[in-house]
Amino acid sequence: MGNCKSSSRALLGKAHVVPDPEWRIRDFGKTHVPDFEWRIDDFSMLKTGAKRATSGPFHCSGYNWDLQVSLMHKEAGSVTPYVALRLASSTLSLVPAHTVHAVFELSICNHSKGMYYGCKASYNFDFKNFYSKEHCLIPLKKLLKSSAFLVDDGCVFAVEILKIDVCSPEKKAVVVQKKATTVQNLFVQEKGFVKGTYTWNMNNFLELDLDHCVRSPTFEVGGHKWCISMYPRGDLYSTDCLSLYLSLDASNELHLESKKVAVMTLSILNQKNGKHLTKTSGLFICDGGWGWPNFLALKKLKKGYVVGSSCIVKADLTIVGLSNDG
């Protein structure tokens, strides 16, 4: 797959304007060396699967970040699906009562020019807001026909953190420290997916330690052990909601050169009407846990999701590829 070399210090499109006005790509006219570069092979496979992918974490100036790519993002009043990027802060690197204001650039590599094209954005990250707005770059149909941005069915996306300001009682100052670009590769399989399903039947929900995390028995998918993690009254990041995650068992964390890439669904059964409340992830890197802090409002638990002391939670997991460092 063709790619942009970070060491070339590629210009961000100063002398080359993308002619199509539907492409939301700006010209910054400056030297651009990203902090993070994400190379996605078999890119067209994403649109037939989860339609959204989240990178593994990368570190910059004291914080961990993720990059998320959406393939079917639509703006209000538009029917055109765009490829959109957004930046996420890792909740584990945030501190309560702190707000991290970040200025950053999101971009895609033009292989024929050896340059990055993109947009500049900013966002206030905190415990309750760890995903930035999605920023449209390119109409999906046009990207799939592009010989410059899509080479051998591969795309390269990038992030550069320009500035970080922290609003906190300590008035913490942060200096953005430049270092070598972190590179990750994502490989999506065409077939041979590994699938697994596990149902957690709890008959003692009301007797659980509701103020702490409770975990299901472990189950195996793709040669690794997993468990469902639940915070019955919500975790630090929730707002009056039950929090639900799929996690690698602590004794089976991945320390491999290549990590699994998966799509998963978590659901809670409404025992009164037989329907599941379901949430599905995009593609994610299996390096810890993934889920939703605000899965179900606490006030709704007694409306069929907890009957007596019974609660039924299900996890569906599909391994769809591999990720490694470049």
Side-chain angles (χ1 to χ4, degrees):
M1 183 187 76
N3 58 71
C4 288
K5 298 291 187 180
S6 300
S7 59
S8 68
R9 301 188 67 83
L11 289 178
L12 195 61
K14 183 174 182 179
H16 304 277
V17 178
V18 178
D20 194 327
E22 283 192 287
W23 292 47
R24 308 295 177 81
I25 294 174
R26 297 182 186 177
D27 173 1
F28 297 122
K30 61 181 284 294
T31 299
H32 181 71
V33 179
D35 295 298
F36 177 65
E37 193 176 75
W38 197 22
R39 303 169 181 170
I40 301 180
D41 285 314
D42 302 310
F43 180 81
S44 61
M45 289 296 297
L46 295 182
K47 68 184 178 67
T48 61
K51 301 176 183 177
R52 175 175 291 169
T54 301
S55 73
F58 65 95
H59 187 80
C60 181
S61 301
Y63 295 90
N64 289 329
W65 310 88
D66 302 313
L67 177 62
Q68 188 175 92
V69 178
S70 299
L71 276 73
M72 301 294 289
H73 181 74
K74 294 181 182 179
E75 294 182 326
S78 173
V79 296
T80 301
Y82 272 82
V83 174
L85 304 183
R86 65 176 175 175
L87 183 66
S89 61
S90 168
T91 53
L92 296 178
S93 66
L94 294 173
V95 178
H98 286 204
T99 298
V100 179
H101 177 73
V103 180
F104 49 92
E105 291 172 355
L106 305 171
S107 57
I108 181 172
C109 177
N110 183 316
H111 298 274
S112 65
K113 304 293 185 182
M115 298 179 180
Y116 293 93
Y117 294 79
C119 67
K120 185 176 180 179
S122 65
Y123 192 72
N124 291 325
F125 297 93
D126 58 34
F127 251 36
K128 305 295 183 181
N129 302 283
F130 35 87
Y131 284 106
S132 76
K133 173 186 173 183
E134 289 182 300
H135 295 271
C136 294
L137 294 185
I138 301 171
L140 176 60
K141 288 185 178 180
K142 295 187 177 182
L143 174 59
L144 294 175
K145 295 178 181 178
S146 169
S147 60
F149 292 91
L150 188 70
V151 176
D152 296 330
D153 203 22
C155 276
V156 177
F157 300 97
V159 181
E160 182 176 3
I161 308 292
L162 302 176
K163 184 180 180 182
I164 296 176
D165 293 313
V166 179
C167 179
S168 68
E170 302 86 7
K171 296 182 179 180
K172 180 182 177 183
V174 177
V175 177
V176 176
Q177 300 171 339
K178 300 307 293 181
K179 61 177 185 178
T181 301
T182 299
V183 178
Q184 290 180 12
N185 301 291
L186 174 65
F187 304 92
V188 184
Q189 299 169 196
E190 293 187 14
K191 55 185 178 179
F193 297 158
V194 177
K195 298 183 179 182
T197 297
Y198 176 76
T199 300
W200 184 16
N201 291 287
M202 287 175 279
N203 296 315
N204 62 338
F205 182 87
L206 298 181
E207 290 125 43
L208 297 173
D209 185 348
L210 300 181
D211 292 323
H212 295 86
C213 178
V214 292
R215 292 180 172 84
S216 73
T218 60
F219 57 96
E220 187 171 318
V221 179
H224 298 283
K225 293 181 180 179
W226 308 83
C227 66
I228 301 171
S229 299
M230 175 192 286
Y231 295 81
R233 288 183 177 164
D235 60 12
L236 291 172
Y237 315 106
S238 68
T239 306
D240 297 323
C241 290
L242 176 145
S243 304
L244 204 59
Y245 300 90
L246 180 70
S247 305
L248 279 166
D249 183 66
S251 63
N252 193 225
E253 290 185 358
L254 297 178
H255 298 287
L256 304 176
E257 190 171 312
S258 293
K259 297 179 180 179
K260 301 291 177 66
V261 176
V263 178
M264 65 94 176
T265 295
L266 293 178
S267 57
I268 296 181
L269 176 66
N270 186 314
Q271 298 173 63
K272 290 186 177 180
N273 61 23
K275 297 180 180 179
H276 285 87
L277 171 67
T278 298
K279 294 192 178 183
T280 300
S281 73
L283 271 69
F284 66 97
I285 313 300
C286 302
D287 57 358
W290 187 269
W292 294 269
N294 295 305
F295 191 90
L296 174 64
L298 296 179
K299 62 183 180 182
K300 293 183 178 180
L301 283 176
K302 291 294 186 179
K303 296 182 178 180
Y305 297 101
V306 175
V307 176
S309 196
S310 172
C311 182
I312 301 172
V313 178
K314 187 174 74 165
D316 295 281
L317 180 67
T318 304
I319 308 297
V320 300
L322 294 172
S323 174
N324 60 36
D325 295 334

